[in-house]
Amino acid sequence: MTYVDSSPPVSIYPCVCTHINQPCRGIVCECSGPSACPDGSSNGTCSTQPGGYCYVTVEEVLDEGGLVVVERIAGCLPPDESGFMQCKSSQVPHQHPKVIECCEKDLCNRRLRPVLPAGSEDSPPALPAPPSSPAPPALVAAALCVALLAALAALWLLLRRRRAGKRPPSPPVLTDHTEISSGSGSGLPLLVQRTVAKQIQMVESIGKGRYGEVWLARWRGERVAVKVFFTTEEASWFRETEIYQTVLMRHENILGFIAADIKGTGSWTQMLLITDYHEHGSLHDYLQLHVLDPHTLLTMAYSIVSGLAHLHMDIFGTKGKPAIAHRDIKSKNILVKRDGQCALADFGLAVRYVAERDEVDLAPNTRVGTRRYMAPEVIDEKLDLADFEAFKMADMYSLGLVLWEMCRRCAAGAGAGAVRAEPYAPPYHDRVPPDPSFEDMHALVVVERARPALPPRWRHAPATAALAGLMAECWHHNPPVRLTALRVKKTLAKYRAEGDVKLV
């Protein structure tokens, strides 16, 4: 269209007063035509809102006799974007020739005389071309362009489907390991993971923590656990997803990973981690409700250290597994399975050892471990962050405290069946508050070098006596003296009874 106006450029923003005492107001425009005047009259004036426009349109229409005539309509347009876009509307082609001009002064549209394109004013209405007539060159070119674009889009979709069939695309988190698929058993194919959030049906909340909330949910008819992270814990979700996607990570004593996804709208976001569901919950909760027999105690202890040994182990190969340290071993991060074994969970603080570069891949988040379970060198801030073995030895200290929690709930010792287990209690329950500070733990663990007390009855049963000796070596004050996870696993293998334990 031809946009003619001697006034300042059109603004789509509300009017701004240039004088303090001058109120903002709209402008008065000529209106002609029943559809343009507010009172329904064919001619008159109308007033716009502040910042509005006056306009005049000229369009070819058919009169009652079927003749082509030029119709002129004048009126007011609103100040918002719809009014501005109407002023620009004649820049796109119309079925019938039409042109519009706008201005921004009182009754300025009386002077507007829009002109239709040359050759259109007295021309008859366009008739469909006969089948035999050749199409205009411009139409042919446009059709060819559309056909070419459609062919390119179809080719792109075909290539994408073929690639998806050969190898899943990258996971939702972009790292150096984005080429990893679920071929190692680390979860669903990554293409499927991106749609899992839409298929999850939340059932009930089963736990809350500092990172977020855990829900029991249903997916494809199966019960799963969904860990919903707070938006402030994005780094933990990122790291945990990254660790679970590690090649050869899957192990019977590590929580089974299904998928990771993000869902939300513009106002909220949920970061989801979908894993296997274990109805017995965490070891912390299970020990409060159940008393263990020696067989169950050894089965649980062996499964925990087996998972930790697999985590600490590095597997060399084309797609090998790096060594991983958990950094937050505690009874709340260990789940109890139906067959009596346990599985390690919560890898939001885990670190990996990259053998190719001989460096420790630290988690990029601000969280720290649980103070009650922290090793002395961690509390004293003397842990060598460049030494991966130091992280593994810190895990072993925490493992010793978990073994102590389990032994307290084992009914074994002198007097055969008359021995009762101690009530559940966390490590150092009798020495520090329920939520101990760094100062509390530093004074107890670093300065006093105190460790949880070992009841005399433990010495009279093979299971608790064996574990008492192991835990004392695991929580030694000097990290290099502590046992490795593999050494503890081999020692427990001698005491482990055959067969599975069924929990009811």
Side-chain angles (χ1 to χ4, degrees), residues 277-286 331 334-337:
Y277 171 72
H278 298 296
E279 60 189 37
H280 291 298
S282 70
L283 179 62
H284 174 269
D285 296 334
Y286 186 83
S331 55
I334 300 172
L335 300 179
V336 180
K337 301 169 68 173

Side-chain angles (χ1 to χ4, degrees), residues 10-27:
V10 176
S11 171
I12 64 172
Y13 301 101
C15 75
V16 179
C17 300
T18 57
H19 297 86
I20 296 177
N21 297 322
Q22 179 182 352
C24 294
R25 67 173 184 83
I27 56 177

Side-chain angles (χ1 to χ4, degrees), residues 188-209:
L188 291 175
L190 304 174
L191 178 63
V192 179
Q193 291 186 33
R194 295 183 175 180
T195 62
V196 168
K198 299 178 182 178
Q199 305 168 3
I200 292 291
Q201 297 176 348
M202 298 294 193
V203 177
E204 62 175 328
S205 175
I206 56 177
K208 292 183 179 180

Side-chain angles (χ1 to χ4, degrees), residues 125-455:
L127 296 175
S132 59
S133 62
L139 184 59
V140 174
L144 288 175
C145 289
V146 171
L148 180 60
L149 289 175
L152 290 175
L155 179 61
W156 178 77
L157 287 174
L158 180 61
L159 291 175
R160 185 175 181 182
R161 287 181 181 178
R162 286 184 178 179
R163 290 177 182 175
K166 293 180 181 179
R167 178 177 60 85
S170 302
V173 289
L174 301 178
T175 68
D176 294 336
H177 297 268
T178 52
E179 77 278 9
I180 297 172
S181 71
S182 59
S184 65
S186 58
L188 291 175
L190 304 174
L191 178 63
V192 179
Q193 291 186 33
R194 295 183 175 180
T195 62
V196 168
K198 299 178 182 178
Q199 305 168 3
I200 292 291
Q201 297 176 348
M202 298 294 193
V203 177
E204 62 175 328
S205 175
I206 56 177
K208 292 183 179 180
R210 60 187 175 188
Y211 55 83
E213 192 170 5
V214 178
W215 285 73
L216 167 63
R218 287 199 173 273
W219 177 64
R220 295 182 177 178
E222 299 290 334
R223 293 191 299 178
V224 296
V226 179
K227 193 173 180 180
V228 183
F229 289 77
F230 294 133
T231 54
T232 56
E233 294 294 334
E234 180 179 1
S236 296
W237 174 85
F238 188 101
R239 169 56 64 156
E240 193 158 2
T241 301
E242 192 177 34
I243 293 296
Y244 273 123
Q245 302 270 33
T246 302
V247 171
L248 302 178
M249 178 69 175
R250 182 166 288 271
H251 187 273
E252 64 176 341
N253 301 123
I254 292 177
L255 179 61
F257 169 73
I258 297 176
D261 202 355
I262 298 179
K263 64 181 291 190
T265 64
S267 58
W268 56 269
T269 301
Q270 282 186 331
M271 295 169 289
L272 308 180
L273 189 74
I274 300 98
T275 64
D276 293 342
Y277 171 72
H278 298 296
E279 60 189 37
H280 291 298
S282 70
L283 179 62
H284 174 269
D285 296 334
Y286 186 83
L287 292 178
Q288 297 185 57
L289 302 175
H290 299 82
V291 174
L292 309 180
D293 58 65
H295 179 66
T296 304
L297 172 65
L298 288 177
T299 299
M300 286 185 165
Y302 181 81
S303 63
I304 293 172
V305 75
S306 294
L308 188 58
H310 179 75
L311 201 65
H312 285 180
M313 181 189 307
D314 49 1
I315 302 174
F316 297 99
T318 305
K319 290 290 183 181
K321 171 193 164 296
I324 300 172
H326 191 284
R327 293 182 69 200
D328 198 15
I329 296 290
K330 60 180 179 180
S331 55
K332 287 186 178 180
N333 289 340
I334 300 172
L335 300 179
V336 180
K337 301 169 68 173
R338 179 179 288 273
D339 62 356
Q341 298 193 56
C342 296
L344 299 180
D346 194 345
F347 297 94
L349 281 177
V351 297
R352 296 181 298 196
Y353 175 65
V354 185
E356 296 82 2
R357 301 192 298 269
D358 189 24
E359 66 180 25
V360 178
D361 175 22
L362 286 170
N365 59 25
T366 57
R367 281 181 55 192
V368 295
T370 305
R371 291 187 286 270
R372 187 183 296 274
Y373 293 83
M374 279 184 180
E377 62 273 18
V378 178
I379 299 175
D380 205 23
E381 298 182 343
K382 291 183 178 180
L383 182 75
D384 185 1
L385 300 180
D387 182 10
F388 184 74
E389 290 298 317
F391 289 101
K392 292 166 60 175
M393 291 301 100
D395 278 353
M396 297 308 298
Y397 170 89
S398 304
L399 175 67
L401 298 182
V402 172
L403 296 178
W404 179 87
E405 290 181 74
M406 297 167 63
C407 286
R408 277 182 60 90
R409 298 296 289 155
C410 179
V419 178
R420 298 183 60 183
E422 292 88 3
Y424 172 79
Y428 307 112
H429 66 284
D430 54 344
R431 304 292 301 274
V432 295
D435 185 18
S437 64
F438 277 104
E439 291 74 17
D440 295 330
M441 298 308 300
H442 185 275
L444 181 66
V445 176
V446 179
V447 179
E448 297 183 29
R449 299 194 177 189
R451 297 295 184 268
L454 305 180

